[in-house]
Amino acid sequence: MIIIAEKLNGSIPSCAKAIAERNGDYIKEIAQKETDAGAAFIDVCASVKENELDTLKWMIDLVQSVTDTPISVDSPDVNVCLGALSACKRPGLFNSVSGEGNKIEAAFPVLASDEYKKWDVMALLCDDTGIPKTAAKRIEVFDKIMARAAEFGIEEKRVHIDPLIEMLCTTDDGEGISMVLEVMRHIKTTHPKVHISGAVSNISFNLPARRLVNQAFVVLAMNAGMDSAVLDPLSQDLMGVIYATEAMLGLDDFCAEYTSAYREGIFGAKK
Amino acid sequence: MSKIQEIATAIESGKVKLIEGLVQEALDAGEDPTALLNEGMIGAMGNVGAKFQANEIFVPEMLVAAKTMKKGVEVLKPHLAGNSVGAKGKYIIGTVQGDLHDIGKNLVALMIESAGFEVIDLGVDVPAEKFVEAIKANPDCKVVGASALLTTTMDSMKNTVKAIVDAGCKSQVKIMVGGAPITQAFADEVGADAYTPDAGAAAVKAVELAS
């Protein structure tokens, strides 16, 4: 599982406070902890209204002062993402494009260039008509995005697809998240090299005991093909469930990853 | 328990499967349809909103209560005088331009409808002019609600409020704003009439602003 660590995000109140106070130590501390917990990328999202690009670059510099873990440059504004690329010392994750507006036209030529050809890219399955309500419509958006990626020569293994995980508690009666899982299974079957990702904790929004809902979701999603995820790696139980599920899916010979992650203290009994 | 009380209880506890039968029974027993609507249903949803605000119930419980009421209203409708449903007036709602998120907006719309409004839902990614057009096309509408989930669309929210004010619609409508990044301070800054943090509070505020 490719862990994209989510805690450096201005939409989280404690992080917003640190950003507002320009508390660099907080940013560094979280980045270090996420690295220690096994993050493959450290997501950095300023989520501020004014000076978003400058704030994002300030955060990226701080993260890179304590860790070599690649950055996931995160903004709903594609120009902010593009503006922050040069601040990154090594290839990371461009988070994100979607079928909306000119995001792909703006981002793909840059990501196809020699300078940024080692970057991965997150693509969200929405477009100018909104967040599609059916699996067929999301797959349509997926096909369009992949067609554009192919035109630009962006390889499938560089693409992470976020099928858009919405909160469970407002899904229509009896549907649950079966639609999202259907999208995941389709992608896994038709484009096995594409990474299937998503923001895991969205699923439990507005429900009590959220961590249990998150854990149940990752098991289902991984079984449907999810191999990348935006989540909190400091949530030890969630990490344990992920390692255990990988082993059960036959992705971890002799449970080697599971046992070594346990030994490293990523989950299990507190030492 | 009175028939009205039974209906109120069924809505509060989200008994989707029972509500139609209960409403029919009450009608057959000669209960006043308007009282069933106002005291049984709208009153019950008021309690639901209050419980949600007090953290006693969760979003899906509020959602199923509103859906239960909607089902009950369908049975009631043919028996009500023309304008009883939506008697609190019209409520125009939408997610601002550049923002595609509709879950929160839909929940607010459902609660506003449950409070007795006729909701005109403009959908997502709604340009400011479209809000203005809808307000002008509905001169009897007194409250409008704008939603935004992203920090990047807060400017769009600001433009929406400004467009409504600039179009001279402030004498007609009050403006409510909400969504994850929105705060009371932001609402004050852009000149909105009200900010509410959740769907239950939005329904209460809408009633207050419409009266």
Side-chain angles (χ1 to χ4, degrees):
Chain A
M1 182 76 122
I2 299 165
I3 306 290
I4 304 159
E6 70 181 3
K7 287 180 87 81
L8 289 179
N9 191 316
S11 66
I12 299 170
S14 52
C15 185
K17 185 165 173 279
I19 292 170
E21 293 168 355
R22 284 294 184 267
N23 179 353
D25 289 343
Y26 176 92
I27 308 287
K28 289 197 269 191
E29 188 193 331
I30 297 286
Q32 185 62 57
K33 282 184 174 165
E34 289 185 329
T35 298
D36 295 344
F41 296 96
I42 293 183
D43 191 77
V44 182
C45 178
S47 200
V48 290
K49 209 168 132 281
E50 314 283 338
N51 302 323
E52 187 186 355
L53 179 56
D54 290 340
T55 309
L56 188 59
K57 284 180 168 173
W58 171 76
M59 292 169 78
I60 289 171
D61 286 346
L62 287 162
V63 173
Q64 293 183 133
S65 72
V66 292
T67 173
D68 291 341
T69 306
I71 305 284
S72 158
V73 177
D74 185 356
S75 170
D77 182 340
V78 74
N79 292 317
V80 169
C81 285
L82 286 168
L85 290 186
S86 59
C88 298
K89 290 183 191 163
R90 50 192 71 76
L93 173 68
F94 189 98
N95 188 8
S96 60
V97 299
S98 72
E100 282 172 87
N102 71 338
K103 285 188 173 188
I104 282 179
E105 305 313 315
F108 279 8
V110 177
L111 294 169
S113 69
D114 273 353
E115 197 177 353
Y116 294 108
K117 68 181 178 194
K118 287 188 175 164
W119 278 70
D120 283 4
V121 57
M122 180 76 76
L124 278 51
L125 300 189
C126 55
D127 64 13
D128 289 326
T129 63
I131 298 171
K133 305 285 181 209
T134 65
K137 282 262 157 47
R138 289 194 194 191
I139 289 166
E140 225 173 83
V141 178
F142 169 73
D143 288 337
K144 281 183 191 157
I145 291 171
M146 293 315 295
R148 295 300 283 145
E151 282 167 37
F152 280 99
I154 294 171
E155 301 152 281
E156 293 190 355
K157 65 176 186 191
R158 294 174 60 194
V159 180
H160 298 240
I161 293 292
D162 180 347
L164 297 174
I165 300 157
E166 295 177 286
M167 60 180 105
L168 172 66
C169 72
T170 52
T171 54
D172 281 338
D173 304 328
E175 188 178 82
I177 55 149
S178 57
M179 187 267 272
V180 170
L181 297 177
E182 190 186 331
V183 175
M184 289 181 174
R185 277 190 291 266
H186 174 87
I187 295 172
K188 188 75 193 165
T189 312
T190 60
H191 295 73
K193 286 181 186 157
V194 167
H195 297 293
I196 299 172
S197 193
V200 167
S201 26
N202 284 0
I203 194 77
S204 60
F205 200 64
N206 279 317
L207 284 174
R210 292 184 63 174
R211 63 185 61 188
L212 296 174
V213 181
N214 295 344
Q215 288 169 26
F217 174 72
V218 293
V219 178
L220 287 172
M222 289 171 74
N223 192 39
M226 180 186 250
D227 68 340
S228 160
V230 181
L231 51 77
D232 176 10
L234 305 184
S235 173
Q236 292 208 327
D237 287 345
L238 181 61
M239 293 297 280
V241 166
I242 289 170
Y243 278 96
T245 305
E246 278 186 332
M248 287 179 216
L249 288 171
L251 302 170
D252 179 9
D253 290 344
F254 300 103
C255 304
E257 301 284 341
Y258 181 86
T259 48
S260 57
Y262 170 79
R263 200 163 289 118
E264 286 165 29
I266 287 176
F267 59 86
K270 293 242 169 41
K271 285 170 198 140
Chain B
M1 206 189 301
S2 76
K3 294 282 179 200
I4 287 184
Q5 190 57 48
E6 267 182 53
I7 287 171
T9 308
I11 288 175
E12 283 189 49
S13 48
K15 298 280 190 280
V16 178
K17 287 176 184 153
L18 298 181
I19 191 70
E20 287 162 309
L22 286 172
V23 174
Q24 194 56 55
E25 263 176 45
L27 288 169
D28 293 345
E31 294 280 353
D32 172 24
T34 310
L36 288 181
L37 178 70
N38 291 333
E39 292 158 43
M41 298 182 173
I42 294 173
M45 285 308 294
N47 291 342
V48 168
K51 280 187 191 165
F52 177 72
Q53 282 176 264
N55 296 321
E56 286 172 32
I57 62 168
F58 298 100
V59 165
E61 294 169 306
M62 180 163 77
L63 189 64
V64 75
K67 289 196 168 182
T68 306
M69 167 162 171
K70 237 181 160 168
K71 270 199 146 177
V73 168
E74 289 308 313
V75 179
L76 207 53
K77 240 180 193 168
H79 304 273
L80 289 164
N83 57 357
S84 303
V85 175
K88 294 256 166 55
K90 289 179 180 168
Y91 189 102
I92 293 170
I93 192 167
T95 303
V96 299
Q97 187 161 34
D99 206 320
L100 302 177
H101 297 88
D102 66 352
I103 292 176
K105 184 264 296 169
N106 292 347
L107 199 57
V108 171
L110 201 55
M111 287 303 287
I112 299 267
E113 193 181 355
S114 304
F117 286 86
E118 178 190 335
V119 172
I120 300 170
D121 189 344
L122 304 178
V124 298
D125 192 16
V126 180
E129 314 85 68
K130 210 172 154 194
F131 274 100
V132 173
E133 274 169 34
I135 293 167
K136 288 188 170 164
N138 294 281
D140 52 341
C141 169
K142 285 190 258 176
V143 199
V144 52
S147 165
L149 183 94
L150 303 170
T151 44
T152 44
T153 51
M154 288 169 81
D155 276 336
S156 183
M157 173 78 88
K158 189 175 178 177
N159 295 339
T160 302
V161 175
K162 187 170 181 299
I164 296 170
V165 174
D166 289 352
C169 298
K170 270 318 294 290
S171 53
Q172 180 193 328
V173 290
K174 300 277 189 206
I175 307 167
M176 292 172 56
V177 294
I182 309 299
T183 58
Q184 183 65 55
F186 179 79
D188 295 340
E189 180 197 321
V190 302
D193 295 290
Y195 157 76
T196 49
D198 61 62
V204 172
K205 185 52 92 175
V207 172
E208 186 190 313
L209 292 176
S211 58

